[in-house]
Amino acid sequence: MKIAVIGGDGTGPEVTREALKVLEAVSKIDNFKFELNHLDWGSERYMRTGEIIPEGGFDLLRQHDALYLGAVGHPDVKPGVIEKGLLLETRFKLDQYINLRPVKLYKGVETPLAGKSPADIDFVVVRENTEDLYAGIGGFLKKGTPDEVATQTAIYTRKGCERCIRWAFDYTRKRNNPKGKRLTLVAKTNVLTFGHDLWMRTFEEVEKEFPDVQTDYNNVDACCMWMVKNPEYYDVIVTTNMFGDIITDIGAVIQGGLGVAAGGNINPEKGGVSMFEPMGGSAPKYTGKNVINPIAAIGAMAMLLQHTGQPKSGDRVLAAIEKVTGTKMKSQAAGKMGYSTQEVGDLVCQNLA
Ligand code: IPM
Ligand code: MN
């Protein structure tokens, strides 16, 4: 297995180190080999060279079986430059059209939702990852004048929503939730009567291929409410890029915060290259302090393994994470874990069984 590793900015490299430590440990147990290719892409390199992804960078990425990303974002670089130039560009260029974001409350992790336990918070968001407002279409007219106009256009294609919806149905089927297989489409068909009408019609056509999956629809505002009030209702949610971005921050916080939440940018096609990352940012103020929580980063490595030919090892890592959150860590907040970043990584390695 060939993995390209972009540690990135701020605390990205620190949490990446712990994820790689766990990879090394689980590879010994399950007897597989891997090769790492460390890439120094990120803000430091950008400030030094003016280049975010070097020439030929995407061809280089395509030569790997998977990509691992720590975090990007730097206080000295204008917001959006690295996020668009590295993260979004990779999602688009490698056609990673699924953003898979599990929302699972691990044992021992505190949720801000009163009265909810791990049995109540265990669902998955499938976020479309290449279209919508993220397409970057728009512009200014009369910029800087009192008559200024700005446009930002959401793009939805039949192909784009159909492949995402079909993948989500298939995922729901395979997840095979003992509480019942249910896929909820989250959109805003009552207002976005063109783009989300396309999503709805496509959903209704694709559902015919999956008679074993119960289907359901929520407007996105109602979904925000239900995620807080009745998270146990959800099994799998499929949604558009922008709404998926927003609701998965609610998802992250109810599962214990950005120190815990992980995701995968997946190109499910044959030969497709996927990228896995903790959901949190580069947390500059914690850089180098050995206090940041690496659980999300280790969880992202578990997802990488699950989706890149080592599912058993991925499950093993997730089980170890849950032992550590359930029996060791005091909190999931940076600096309050009861352990350092490195110690949490060590604990996960020791608890691999
Ligand atoms: C995420 C992030 C990104 C997004 C940003 C950093 C571009 O918020 O992965 O959720 O909006 O997709
Ligand atoms: Mn986001």
Short mmCIF file of all heavy atoms in Angstrom, two decimals, residues 14 55 108 192 201 229 271 339:
data_model
loop_
_atom_site.label_atom_id
_atom_site.label_comp_id
_atom_site.label_asym_id
_atom_site.label_seq_id
_atom_site.Cartn_x
_atom_site.Cartn_y
_atom_site.Cartn_z
N GLU A 14 1.65 17.01 13.90
CA GLU A 14 1.66 16.30 15.20
C GLU A 14 0.64 15.18 15.24
O GLU A 14 0.92 14.08 15.73
CB GLU A 14 1.32 17.27 16.33
CG GLU A 14 2.43 18.21 16.69
CD GLU A 14 1.90 19.34 17.59
OE1 GLU A 14 1.41 19.05 18.70
OE2 GLU A 14 2.00 20.51 17.15
N GLU A 55 3.98 21.62 -9.72
CA GLU A 55 3.68 21.14 -11.07
C GLU A 55 3.73 19.59 -11.09
O GLU A 55 4.64 18.99 -10.54
CB GLU A 55 4.75 21.72 -12.01
CG GLU A 55 4.62 21.28 -13.41
CD GLU A 55 4.45 22.46 -14.37
OE1 GLU A 55 4.47 23.62 -13.92
OE2 GLU A 55 4.30 22.17 -15.56
N GLY A 108 -17.31 6.65 26.56
CA GLY A 108 -16.49 7.51 27.42
C GLY A 108 -16.41 8.95 26.95
O GLY A 108 -15.84 9.79 27.65
N LEU A 192 -35.17 25.64 -2.96
CA LEU A 192 -34.27 25.44 -4.11
C LEU A 192 -34.98 24.54 -5.11
O LEU A 192 -34.66 23.35 -5.27
CB LEU A 192 -32.94 24.86 -3.63
CG LEU A 192 -32.28 25.69 -2.50
CD1 LEU A 192 -30.96 25.10 -2.05
CD2 LEU A 192 -32.07 27.14 -2.94
N ARG A 201 -35.82 14.15 -7.59
CA ARG A 201 -36.24 13.24 -8.66
C ARG A 201 -35.25 12.10 -8.83
O ARG A 201 -35.63 10.94 -9.04
CB ARG A 201 -36.40 14.01 -9.98
CG ARG A 201 -37.74 14.74 -10.10
CD ARG A 201 -37.89 15.41 -11.45
NE ARG A 201 -37.10 16.63 -11.56
CZ ARG A 201 -36.11 16.82 -12.42
NH1 ARG A 201 -35.78 15.89 -13.29
NH2 ARG A 201 -35.43 17.97 -12.44
N LYS A 229 -32.04 17.05 18.66
CA LYS A 229 -33.13 16.56 19.50
C LYS A 229 -33.23 15.04 19.50
O LYS A 229 -33.39 14.42 20.55
CB LYS A 229 -34.44 17.17 18.97
CG LYS A 229 -35.56 17.18 19.97
CD LYS A 229 -36.69 18.10 19.47
CE LYS A 229 -37.88 18.06 20.39
NZ LYS A 229 -38.66 16.84 20.29
N GLY A 271 -9.51 2.32 -9.51
CA GLY A 271 -8.32 3.13 -9.70
C GLY A 271 -8.41 4.52 -9.09
O GLY A 271 -7.46 5.30 -9.14
N TYR A 339 -3.69 13.14 29.10
CA TYR A 339 -2.51 12.59 28.43
C TYR A 339 -2.06 13.58 27.37
O TYR A 339 -2.84 14.42 26.94
CB TYR A 339 -2.85 11.26 27.73
CG TYR A 339 -3.29 10.18 28.68
CD1 TYR A 339 -4.65 9.99 28.94
CD2 TYR A 339 -2.36 9.35 29.32
CE1 TYR A 339 -5.07 9.00 29.82
CE2 TYR A 339 -2.78 8.36 30.19
CZ TYR A 339 -4.14 8.19 30.44
OH TYR A 339 -4.55 7.23 31.31
#
